Short mmCIF file of all heavy atoms in Angstrom, two decimals:
data_model
loop_
_atom_site.label_atom_id
_atom_site.label_comp_id
_atom_site.label_asym_id
_atom_site.label_seq_id
_atom_site.Cartn_x
_atom_site.Cartn_y
_atom_site.Cartn_z
N MET A 1 29.73 67.85 -145.35
CA MET A 1 28.67 67.52 -144.41
C MET A 1 27.29 67.67 -145.05
O MET A 1 26.33 67.84 -144.36
CB MET A 1 28.75 68.44 -143.19
CG MET A 1 29.91 68.08 -142.33
SD MET A 1 29.92 68.70 -140.69
CE MET A 1 29.03 70.21 -140.77
N ASN A 89 36.47 73.97 -144.39
CA ASN A 89 35.02 73.90 -144.51
C ASN A 89 34.46 75.30 -144.32
O ASN A 89 34.62 75.90 -143.25
CB ASN A 89 34.42 72.99 -143.43
CG ASN A 89 34.44 71.52 -143.83
OD1 ASN A 89 34.41 71.19 -145.01
ND2 ASN A 89 34.48 70.64 -142.84
N ARG A 145 38.76 69.45 -134.04
CA ARG A 145 38.27 68.11 -134.45
C ARG A 145 36.98 68.30 -135.25
O ARG A 145 35.95 68.71 -134.70
CB ARG A 145 38.03 67.27 -133.20
CG ARG A 145 37.31 65.94 -133.37
CD ARG A 145 38.01 64.99 -134.33
NE ARG A 145 37.64 63.59 -134.08
CZ ARG A 145 36.53 62.98 -134.55
NH1 ARG A 145 35.66 63.64 -135.29
NH2 ARG A 145 36.30 61.71 -134.26
N CYS A 146 37.05 68.04 -136.54
CA CYS A 146 35.85 68.13 -137.38
C CYS A 146 34.99 66.90 -137.16
O CYS A 146 35.51 65.80 -136.93
CB CYS A 146 36.24 68.26 -138.85
SG CYS A 146 34.80 68.34 -139.96
N VAL A 147 33.69 67.07 -137.28
CA VAL A 147 32.74 65.96 -137.14
C VAL A 147 32.98 64.90 -138.22
O VAL A 147 32.57 63.76 -138.08
CB VAL A 147 31.29 66.51 -137.14
CG1 VAL A 147 30.84 66.90 -138.55
CG2 VAL A 147 30.30 65.52 -136.52
N GLU A 148 33.67 65.29 -139.30
CA GLU A 148 33.98 64.35 -140.38
C GLU A 148 35.15 63.43 -140.03
O GLU A 148 35.60 62.67 -140.89
CB GLU A 148 34.33 65.12 -141.66
CG GLU A 148 33.20 65.98 -142.19
CD GLU A 148 33.66 67.04 -143.19
OE1 GLU A 148 34.89 67.18 -143.41
OE2 GLU A 148 32.81 67.74 -143.74
N TRP A 150 38.39 64.19 -139.15
CA TRP A 150 39.78 64.62 -139.33
C TRP A 150 40.05 65.72 -138.31
O TRP A 150 39.12 66.30 -137.73
CB TRP A 150 40.06 65.12 -140.76
CG TRP A 150 39.13 66.19 -141.27
CD1 TRP A 150 38.01 66.00 -142.04
CD2 TRP A 150 39.23 67.62 -141.05
NE1 TRP A 150 37.41 67.21 -142.30
CE2 TRP A 150 38.13 68.22 -141.72
CE3 TRP A 150 40.14 68.43 -140.37
CZ2 TRP A 150 37.91 69.60 -141.71
CZ3 TRP A 150 39.92 69.81 -140.36
CH2 TRP A 150 38.82 70.38 -141.03
N TYR A 245 32.83 69.73 -131.85
CA TYR A 245 33.08 69.51 -133.27
C TYR A 245 33.17 70.85 -133.99
O TYR A 245 32.52 71.84 -133.62
CB TYR A 245 31.99 68.62 -133.88
CG TYR A 245 32.07 67.20 -133.36
CD1 TYR A 245 30.99 66.60 -132.69
CD2 TYR A 245 33.24 66.45 -133.50
CE1 TYR A 245 31.08 65.31 -132.19
CE2 TYR A 245 33.33 65.16 -133.00
CZ TYR A 245 32.25 64.59 -132.35
OH TYR A 245 32.35 63.32 -131.86
N GLY A 246 34.00 70.86 -135.05
CA GLY A 246 34.37 72.09 -135.73
C GLY A 246 33.20 72.93 -136.21
O GLY A 246 33.33 74.16 -136.30
N PHE A 247 32.05 72.31 -136.51
CA PHE A 247 30.95 73.11 -137.06
C PHE A 247 30.40 74.13 -136.07
O PHE A 247 29.71 75.07 -136.46
CB PHE A 247 29.84 72.23 -137.66
CG PHE A 247 29.07 71.35 -136.70
CD1 PHE A 247 28.01 71.86 -135.97
CD2 PHE A 247 29.41 70.01 -136.56
CE1 PHE A 247 27.29 71.03 -135.11
CE2 PHE A 247 28.69 69.17 -135.70
CZ PHE A 247 27.63 69.69 -134.96
MO1 MO B 402 33.58 70.31 -139.48
#
Side-chain angles (χ1 to χ4, degrees):
M1 288 197 331
N89 275 333
R145 170 59 157 83
C146 178
V147 75
E148 298 163 355
W150 53 265
Y245 292 121
F247 65 83

